[in-house]
């Protein structure tokens, strides 16, 4: 009973945080203008193409997961794996990070597999996703450094605020204090449970990379990993063409927006609500897109992606028992 109460409170806390972030982003938005733009100024064919790319990424993720499961001596039905993946996405919208556990539970049940072993494959999968995001982050930093500098030059108020924070005596004092405290407490920190957790994560990270080298179809795995993130990127980028005010943006601008939005998805809120919108709006402002227009873009892109995951997730929940009824 106590555990259920804790889970419920966590769910409500994350949901409240997401709603708060969303409200902070959109509290000054002109609702009538927003409705008008979405009704009259959007080419929805690009949105449908975006969802098609999203579907391809989910199929590729399904195939990649099956490749990871193969060494376990099991070959689950591709349809079951796909439906489990979609249930996982749906559960992530209910409770952050719950999707990984949910999809493993679904596949373990219908394919009579070890839940623990499946969790291990998902850990490796998440490690690869982190690597892909870091690679894209480096590309954005190197490729768009000049754009960021130009943005600061064109927005002296933002530059002034950043300088005031960075050069503030309090900021310098805080950094120096933290360094001194860390140095004085280094031995205690090395024996702390937090350090052990970080160490454990790094060990798992290393083991995950090694497991890919030993994988039978490692090149197919790498190809799927690149394809998945390529489709994620295109899923966002093509929505640029839905609006006149973003249709001129370059592919690298799309990549920057995608990467920053991905970090918004890492926030502990359901579906990245609020956090994703904020990051995307800020990224678009770097390229001269008005904040109000950026908010319209973010709302459409996020809502369409989320709607697809909800619909496919609910269909998957309904279909799974039906297609596996002979196995029960």
């Amino acid at each position: 009973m106590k555990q259920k109460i804790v889970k419920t409170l966590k769910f409500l806390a994350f949901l409240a945080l997401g709603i708060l972030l969303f409200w902070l982003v959109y509290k000054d938005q002109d609702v009538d203008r927003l409705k008008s733009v979405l009704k009259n100024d959007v080419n929805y064919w690009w949105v449908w193409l975006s969802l098609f790319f999203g579907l391809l990424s989910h199929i590729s993720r399904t195939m990649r997961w099956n490749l990871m499961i193969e060494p376990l001596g099991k070959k689950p039905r591709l349809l079951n794996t796909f439906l489990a993946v979609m249930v996982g996405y749906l559960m992530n919208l209910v409770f952050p990070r719950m999707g990984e556990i949910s999809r493993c539970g679904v596949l373990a049940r219908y394919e009579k597999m070890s839940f623990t072993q499946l969790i291990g494959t998902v850990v490796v999968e998440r490690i690869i996703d982190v690597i892909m995001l870091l690679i894209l982050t480096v590309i954005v930093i190197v490729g768009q450094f000049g754009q960021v500098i130009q943005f600061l030059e064109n927005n002296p108020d933002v530059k002034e605020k950043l300088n005031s924070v960075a050069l503030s005596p309090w900021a310098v004092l805080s950094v120096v204090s933290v360094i001194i405290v860390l140095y004085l407490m280094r031995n205690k920190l090395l024996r702390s449970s937090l350090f052990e957790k970080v160490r454990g994560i790094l060990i798992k990270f290393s083991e995950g990379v090694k497991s890919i080298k030993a994988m039978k179809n490692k090149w197919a795995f790498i190809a799927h990993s690149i394809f998945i993130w390529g489709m994620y990127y295109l899923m966002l980028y093509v929505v640029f063409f839905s609006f006149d005010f973003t249709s001129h943006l370059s592919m690298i601008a799309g990549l920057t927006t995608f990467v920053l939005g991905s970090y918004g998805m890492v926030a502990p809120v359901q579906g990245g609500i609020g956090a994703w919108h904020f990051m995307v709006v800020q990224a678009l402002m770097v390229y001269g897109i008005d904040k109000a227009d950026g908010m319209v873009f973010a709302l459409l892109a996020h809502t369409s992606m989320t709607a697809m995951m909800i619909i496919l997730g609910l269909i998957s929940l309904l279909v799974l028992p039906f297609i596996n009824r002979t196995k029960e």
Side-chain angles (χ1 to χ4, degrees), residues 51-69 78 81-83 85-86 89 103 125 128-129 132 217 219-232 312:
L51 297 181
F52 174 69
F53 286 139
L55 180 61
L56 290 180
S57 74
H58 301 327
I59 293 172
S60 184
R61 183 173 288 278
T62 298
M63 296 172 71
R64 186 180 72 171
W65 196 21
N66 265 10
L67 286 176
M68 299 174 70
I69 294 172
L78 192 65
T81 311
F82 174 76
L83 296 176
V85 168
M86 297 318 302
Y89 281 125
R103 65 168 159 136
E125 191 179 60
I128 301 307
D129 287 338
M132 292 299 299
N217 297 309
W219 292 114
F221 178 89
I222 293 171
H224 276 297
S225 299
I226 295 172
F227 182 81
I228 290 166
W229 280 84
M231 291 301 100
Y232 282 169
L312 290 179

Side-chain angles (χ1 to χ4, degrees), residues 181-192:
V181 170
L182 289 176
Y183 178 77
L184 295 175
M185 298 182 65
R186 64 188 184 281
N187 292 327
K188 188 174 181 179
L189 288 172
L190 290 173
R191 295 192 298 268
S192 67

Side-chain angles (χ1 to χ4, degrees), residues 95-127:
F95 199 94
R97 311 295 172 260
M98 185 179 178
E100 285 74 10
I101 297 173
S102 299
R103 65 168 159 136
C104 290
V106 168
L107 203 60
R109 175 185 174 186
Y110 289 112
E111 291 289 342
K112 305 297 185 288
M113 297 180 63
S114 165
F115 175 79
T116 304
Q117 287 183 323
L118 287 174
I119 286 291
T121 63
V122 171
V123 169
V124 176
E125 191 179 60
R126 282 290 167 256
I127 289 170

Side-chain angles (χ1 to χ4, degrees), residues 30-323:
D30 185 337
V31 178
D32 291 332
R33 178 183 180 277
L34 177 64
K35 290 179 180 178
S36 176
V37 172
L38 292 177
K39 183 179 179 180
N40 304 309
D41 302 326
V42 180
N43 184 341
Y44 282 98
W45 284 109
W46 291 106
V47 178
W48 285 110
L49 180 60
S50 165
L51 297 181
F52 174 69
F53 286 139
L55 180 61
L56 290 180
S57 74
H58 301 327
I59 293 172
S60 184
R61 183 173 288 278
T62 298
M63 296 172 71
R64 186 180 72 171
W65 196 21
N66 265 10
L67 286 176
M68 299 174 70
I69 294 172
E70 244 179 60
L72 302 178
K74 298 284 186 178
K75 290 192 71 174
R77 292 169 62 188
L78 192 65
L79 181 57
N80 270 343
T81 311
F82 174 76
L83 296 176
V85 168
M86 297 318 302
V87 169
Y89 281 125
L90 178 65
M91 290 300 104
N92 271 336
L93 297 176
V94 176
F95 199 94
R97 311 295 172 260
M98 185 179 178
E100 285 74 10
I101 297 173
S102 299
R103 65 168 159 136
C104 290
V106 168
L107 203 60
R109 175 185 174 186
Y110 289 112
E111 291 289 342
K112 305 297 185 288
M113 297 180 63
S114 165
F115 175 79
T116 304
Q117 287 183 323
L118 287 174
I119 286 291
T121 63
V122 171
V123 169
V124 176
E125 191 179 60
R126 282 290 167 256
I127 289 170
I128 301 307
D129 287 338
V130 169
I131 292 174
M132 292 299 299
L133 180 56
L134 291 176
I135 291 172
L136 293 177
T137 301
V138 171
I139 293 173
V140 166
I141 292 173
V142 173
Q144 295 296 274
F145 185 76
Q147 186 70 34
V148 174
I149 297 300
Q150 185 178 350
F151 171 75
L152 293 176
E153 293 296 333
N154 295 337
N155 296 271
D157 54 330
V158 176
K159 184 179 180 180
E160 186 178 338
K161 287 179 182 178
L162 290 175
N163 284 335
S164 64
V165 171
L167 301 176
S168 167
W170 290 107
V172 175
L173 181 61
S174 298
V175 172
V176 173
S177 299
V178 169
I179 293 173
I180 292 173
V181 170
L182 289 176
Y183 178 77
L184 295 175
M185 298 182 65
R186 64 188 184 281
N187 292 327
K188 188 174 181 179
L189 288 172
L190 290 173
R191 295 192 298 268
S192 67
S193 59
L194 176 62
F195 178 79
E196 287 301 319
K197 286 182 180 179
V198 173
R199 184 170 174 272
I201 292 172
L202 292 175
I203 290 173
K204 285 182 179 179
F205 188 93
S206 176
E207 290 175 350
V209 174
K210 289 178 182 177
S211 69
I212 296 170
K213 292 181 179 180
M215 193 178 293
K216 184 178 179 181
N217 297 309
K218 61 182 178 182
W219 292 114
F221 178 89
I222 293 171
H224 276 297
S225 299
I226 295 172
F227 182 81
I228 290 166
W229 280 84
M231 291 301 100
Y232 282 169
Y233 160 65
L234 288 176
M235 189 179 184
L236 177 71
Y237 177 64
V238 296
V239 182
F240 278 179
F241 300 104
S242 296
F243 301 95
D244 288 337
F245 53 76
T246 52
S247 61
H248 66 283
L249 294 177
S250 65
M251 295 189 75
I252 190 66
L255 184 61
T256 303
T257 307
F258 167 69
V259 168
L260 290 178
S262 297
Y263 282 108
M265 279 294 186
V266 175
V269 292
Q270 288 86 339
I273 184 172
W276 189 89
H277 297 80
F278 173 79
M279 296 297 284
V280 166
V281 170
Q282 297 305 308
L284 291 175
M285 287 175 65
V286 171
Y287 296 95
I289 303 301
D290 183 74
K291 184 178 180 181
D293 290 336
M295 288 191 287
V296 176
F297 173 87
L299 184 64
L300 177 63
H302 187 272
T303 301
S304 59
M305 290 186 288
T306 303
M308 180 179 72
M309 288 189 287
I310 291 174
I311 293 170
L312 290 179
L314 290 174
I315 291 173
S316 299
L317 281 174
L318 294 173
V319 169
L320 272 164
F322 178 75
I323 65 170

